[in-house]
Amino acid sequence: MNQKNHNKGIKRREFLKTSAAFAGTAMFMGMGTSRLFGATGLPEVSIENVTLNNGVKMPILGFGTYGLNGEVCKDSVADAISMGYRLLDTATVYRNEEFVGAGIKQSGIKREELFITSKVWVDDSGYEKAKKAFQTSLDKLGTDYLDLYLIHRPRGDVKGSWKAMEELYKEGKIRAIGVSNFEPHQLDDLMAGFDVTPAVNQIESHAFFQQNKAHAYMKPHKIQMEAWAPLAEGRNGLFTNETLAAIGKKYNKSNAQVSLRWHYQRGIIAIPRSSQNAHRMENLNIFDFELTESDMRTIAPLDLNKTQFPEWS
């Protein structure tokens, strides 16, 4: 960890040491919730399940694994599950599926209680390659089905991949299929030639890149928006942003918690990642307060309407 990231971690941990947030009672959501009991000192937490366009229920808050590997990945996944996370997100290109699978096994939680997502990478695009890549992911994860499988980027033989995924979906090997990093015109092109509408589009979204147009497009098509890097990985000073801090001060919450609550109230699934228990616990504790309409309006002008990850463009 470099010094900049180390300092960000200290700022978040300092908040946790002084916050009374964990003493509150968690709010229970009404639309199909998973009641979760952690052994970590958290109050009883209930994470709402959103209903995808095929009727499958998916947790609105999950645990991302990008950048985690080896024993750190395995232990992080196992600990996240023990805290109450049930949505786990990985991908072929993360090269950590076997460690995610090992963490799941270590947790002792039944497979059917989890919602596991993986993604097919560009190098594996196309009908035959996508089917092979899917089976490789299953083998590494140690499961015989996925809850959600995504096309990671709109490149290569997208339609060949989607044809393979539709078949796997209809065979019951995937409970829902979707895409990642697709723009509206790319979604239009995909939907024009196939029977199954993507259930999810996982895209970059956070306070500095709010993706309002993309969100507005997806809603009428009943495509669920999911945010990768919902905390912008701390870029552009998210963890110390004065606007978010002022809002958080009213509720005794951190910038990260305000950010995740903002996603939740917009109906967007978020998958924050952390290798530290304190941060994973902090990210879960967002259900005992509510941002006002004024708070939401205050966050809106933070939108720079551009990616904070130009290396992915």
Side-chain angles (χ1 to χ4, degrees):
M1 178 182 293
N2 62 35
Q3 187 63 39
K4 181 179 180 181
N5 288 336
H6 178 68
N7 289 339
K8 287 189 301 188
I10 289 175
K11 286 182 171 63
R12 291 185 65 168
R13 286 193 293 275
E14 284 175 348
F15 168 83
L16 288 170
K17 289 177 182 177
T18 58
S19 174
F22 296 112
T25 300
M27 182 175 74
F28 292 93
M29 310 306 164
M31 296 177 58
T33 59
S34 301
R35 297 183 65 171
L36 310 173
F37 302 85
T40 57
L42 270 175
E44 188 176 326
V45 177
S46 185
I47 299 177
E48 183 176 338
N49 292 317
V50 299
T51 302
L52 303 180
N53 58 22
N54 65 348
V56 167
K57 296 186 182 300
M58 179 177 181
I60 199 166
L61 180 65
F63 182 65
T65 65
Y66 171 71
L68 299 178
N69 219 296
E71 291 295 307
V72 170
C73 180
K74 182 189 74 172
D75 292 342
S76 294
V77 168
D79 289 343
I81 293 171
S82 76
M83 289 178 177
Y85 290 94
R86 293 295 179 264
L87 165 58
L88 305 170
D89 182 272
T90 183
T92 295
V93 77
Y94 298 171
R95 299 181 180 178
N96 66 4
E97 288 171 310
E98 62 268 43
F99 302 111
V100 172
I104 291 170
K105 184 176 181 180
Q106 181 175 304
S107 76
I109 294 294
K110 293 179 180 179
R111 167 66 182 90
E112 57 268 27
E113 294 183 24
L114 300 173
F115 192 103
I116 303 174
T117 301
S118 194
K119 313 175 191 76
V120 59
W121 184 239
V122 178
D123 293 347
D124 296 316
S125 69
Y127 180 79
E128 295 294 343
K129 285 185 176 181
K131 282 204 167 183
K132 184 178 180 180
F134 172 76
Q135 187 59 50
T136 298
S137 291
L138 288 188
D139 294 343
K140 288 184 175 181
L141 286 162
T143 184
D144 57 0
Y145 72 96
L146 286 180
D147 298 280
L148 179 64
Y149 198 47
L150 307 177
I151 295 177
H152 206 148
R153 297 190 73 82
R155 296 176 183 169
D157 184 6
V158 169
K159 293 183 179 180
S161 296
W162 194 254
K163 180 181 178 182
M165 290 163 61
E166 275 197 348
E167 290 183 6
L168 292 165
Y169 168 66
K170 291 174 182 178
E171 291 168 6
K173 294 182 179 179
I174 311 171
R175 297 179 66 219
I177 56 177
V179 297
S180 182
N181 301 300
F182 274 55
E183 296 181 6
H185 73 277
Q186 293 163 331
L187 285 167
D188 282 336
D189 185 53
L190 184 64
M191 290 188 292
F194 293 93
D195 297 331
V196 180
T197 298
V200 170
N201 187 17
Q202 185 186 113
I203 60 177
E204 177 189 353
S205 180
H206 43 75
F208 306 128
F209 192 27
Q210 299 180 14
Q211 297 273 27
N212 294 315
K213 289 183 179 180
H215 194 202
Y217 167 89
M218 284 184 252
K219 279 186 175 180
H221 289 286
K222 296 183 179 180
I223 300 171
Q224 174 64 48
M225 181 167 158
E226 181 178 16
W228 61 259
L231 304 178
E233 294 185 3
R235 296 189 183 191
N236 201 39
L238 185 139
F239 294 139
T240 55
N241 180 271
E242 292 182 0
T243 299
L244 297 174
I247 293 171
K249 187 176 181 180
K250 296 191 297 182
Y251 308 106
N252 200 18
K253 295 293 182 179
S254 69
N255 287 21
Q257 289 168 320
V258 170
S259 296
L260 293 173
R261 181 72 197 190
W262 171 78
H263 280 92
Y264 165 74
Q265 289 186 206
R266 297 173 75 212
I268 297 171
I269 296 169
I271 45 170
R273 172 214 67 198
S274 179
S275 61
Q276 299 183 45
N277 267 337
H279 295 173
R280 289 193 290 267
M281 189 182 297
E282 177 187 355
N283 293 341
L284 260 187
N285 193 32
I286 65 167
F287 300 113
D288 59 349
F289 77 109
E290 183 174 359
L291 299 174
T292 65
E293 290 184 10
S294 176
D295 294 331
M296 298 294 280
R297 288 195 299 269
T298 300
I299 294 171
L302 295 179
D303 192 7
L304 302 174
N305 198 31
K306 66 178 182 180
T307 181
Q308 294 302 297
F309 298 83
E311 67 272 22
W312 278 93
S313 299

